[in-house]
Amino acid sequence: MKLLVCGGAGFIGSNFVRQRVMEHGDEIVVLDKLTYAGRRENLAGLPHDFHHGAIEDPAAVAAAIEGVDAVVNFAAETHVDRSIAEPDAFVQTHAIGTWVLLEAAKDRGLRYLQVSTDEVYGSIEEGSFTEDSPLRPSSPYSATKTGADLLVQSYAHTYGMETVICRGSNNYGTHQYPEKLIPLMILNAMHGDPLPVYGDGMQVRNWIHATDFAAAIGHVLEHGVAGEVYNAGGPDECPNLEVIERIIELTGADRSLIEYVEDRPGHDRRYSLSSDKVRALGWEPRVRFAQGLEQTVAWYRDNSAWWSPIRSGDYREYYARQYGRALGA
Ligand code: NAD
Ligand code: TYD
């Protein structure tokens, strides 16, 4: 297949491109705006045709989409804390960008996969969300992602477009920008910086390794029924504090680095996905959290060339704004 992968220079997008090139021999075109989170280095060594542009720009989309068999849309603003501080780009990319991409795919009769999140369902104290659970997003991030999902479904319903949606739980793995819990805690622990725990730290996330989510997306792209939604959750759940304690152990950091800070406004308590529907397509997660976390810590330990430019650049300003203190040297 020849795939247009929007947002392919980001964390999960680049893991997906790696898998499709190495394991499926696909031809890849990447369209990416290269925001703070998008990096060409993430695609190093992988054959692909790269277009630098935004999904909300019809000319950039038209140039990239020519000759492809399907569109996979990862392009998004992805950090909840940033969406609370500055929601503008979230509305622009998720609403306008998704609409522009859908129009281009519809005009060319292309299959379209929207990469989405468990956060569209909101928080769940017990049990797991299925694809039929009500949509109750809580943050500007999840609300705009929900809007994009609804737009995608309207194109299937109204125009008979061949769309599928794949909703993942919290991802971790290599090449994740260190604003998210796991890479932030790994790098802070390695540098002896405080480990900022929001609220009581007992919020629970359902962790999926990025290679497992990438494989689920590939399965849904190839075998998913048009118009349908598929959840892909990881095999393990873990409270944040336990994730941080495991990272402390794996990095050999001092437990006294843990620092309780003010909670995130509107913080979702727990996410959990039932993945029975995508499992019925033949997918299952392969990486258990304990093993995946150990590999992830090792990757960050061995790849300072990847994170050094981030940790010494604009990220420092973001960190100081978000946490009210400077990052150590
Ligand atoms: P990321 O922030 O690492 O990467 C996003 C990529 O999209 C970057 O390369 C960025 O440059 C690009 N981008 C942003 N706005 C763009 C625009 N307007 N036009 C073109 N490119 C643009 O994100 P990620 O964690 O890899 O997430 C990828 C997708 O997976 C997102 O749709 C996200 O909602 C979804 N998702 C993420 C998680 C997670 O835990 N990270 C979980 C479930 C679903
Ligand atoms: P995050 O990685 O931002 O993903 P999401 O909010 O999309 O689930 O956060 C994961 C969990 O970790 C969430 O409950 C918030 C918490 N968290 C902290 O306690 N401290 C931090 O510095 C960060 C970034 C997150």
Side-chain angles (χ1 to χ4, degrees):
M1 276 197 290
K2 184 170 179 181
L3 302 177
L4 172 58
V5 183
C6 302
F11 161 49
I12 309 170
S14 62
N15 273 284
F16 177 77
V17 169
R18 188 168 302 108
Q19 200 170 81
R20 297 308 301 187
V21 168
M22 313 288 261
E23 295 173 26
H24 301 265
D26 287 341
E27 209 181 317
I28 303 291
V29 180
V30 170
L31 172 63
D32 198 295
K33 190 174 166 181
L34 297 179
T35 65
Y36 71 93
R39 305 182 73 207
R40 296 273 342 238
E41 301 90 304
N42 291 350
L43 296 165
L46 298 170
H48 65 283
D49 181 11
F50 188 81
H51 290 247
H52 183 195
I55 56 167
E56 61 270 27
D57 175 357
V61 170
I65 206 170
E66 229 33 75
V68 306
D69 302 308
V71 176
V72 183
N73 183 27
F74 291 89
E77 291 291 335
T78 60
H79 194 40
V80 172
D81 292 326
R82 290 189 196 246
S83 85
I84 293 168
E86 276 180 284
D88 319 28
F90 292 74
V91 176
Q92 190 69 20
T93 295
H94 303 169
I96 311 293
T98 304
W99 165 65
V100 169
L101 264 187
L102 282 166
E103 280 293 319
K106 170 168 77 72
D107 290 348
R108 291 161 180 81
L110 298 176
R111 188 167 169 87
Y112 178 100
L113 186 146
Q114 177 76 0
V115 180
S116 185
T117 164
D118 56 1
E119 302 191 27
V120 300
Y121 301 114
S123 189
I124 189 166
E125 293 283 330
E126 276 174 27
S128 302
F129 290 120
T130 71
E131 292 79 359
D132 296 325
S133 298
L135 302 177
R136 293 204 179 101
S138 349
S139 70
Y141 163 67
S142 52
T144 50
K145 288 292 288 183
T146 306
D149 282 11
L150 293 176
L151 199 56
V152 170
Q153 286 185 298
S154 80
Y155 271 60
H157 187 80
T158 309
Y159 306 113
M161 207 178 134
E162 219 182 289
T163 70
V164 275
I165 297 175
C166 189
R167 295 184 178 139
S169 59
N170 280 65
N171 277 239
Y172 70 103
T174 69
H175 304 85
Q176 186 172 30
Y177 193 83
E179 64 192 350
K180 305 289 195 315
L181 178 74
I182 288 182
L184 183 146
M185 295 298 166
I186 294 173
L187 292 185
N188 280 20
M190 281 167 55
H191 288 84
D193 277 316
L195 308 175
V197 178
Y198 294 166
D200 64 1
M202 293 313 288
Q203 304 84 3
V204 173
R205 296 295 183 259
N206 178 192
W207 293 101
I208 185 168
H209 196 269
T211 55
D212 278 334
F213 188 38
I217 292 166
H219 256 78
V220 171
L221 180 66
E222 289 179 25
H223 310 295
V225 175
E228 294 289 313
V229 175
Y230 296 86
N231 290 343
D236 298 292
E237 289 184 11
C238 197
N240 295 337
L241 204 53
E242 196 182 315
V243 174
I244 294 165
E245 275 163 359
R246 286 187 192 209
I247 290 172
I248 288 174
E249 210 170 290
L250 290 165
T251 53
D254 199 314
R255 215 183 169 278
S256 65
L257 291 177
I258 290 180
E259 191 175 287
Y260 289 88
V261 300
E262 202 179 317
D263 206 354
R264 171 186 282 173
H267 200 166
D268 284 337
R269 197 71 186 160
R270 176 172 172 266
Y271 299 136
S272 178
L273 282 182
S274 151
S275 311
D276 292 350
K277 195 169 163 184
V278 70
R279 280 173 184 269
L281 295 180
W283 171 87
E284 59 178 4
R286 294 190 179 157
V287 187
R288 296 301 301 263
F289 187 55
Q291 169 209 351
L293 189 63
E294 195 176 334
Q295 288 167 356
T296 303
V297 169
W299 187 85
Y300 281 90
R301 189 187 295 129
D302 296 342
N303 285 277
S304 59
W306 183 87
W307 53 256
S308 293
I310 297 175
R311 230 178 168 258
S312 57
D314 297 347
Y315 177 69
R316 300 187 76 79
E317 283 162 39
Y318 161 75
Y319 195 92
R321 269 199 315 276
Q322 176 64 25
Y323 295 96
R325 68 188 302 159
L327 206 53

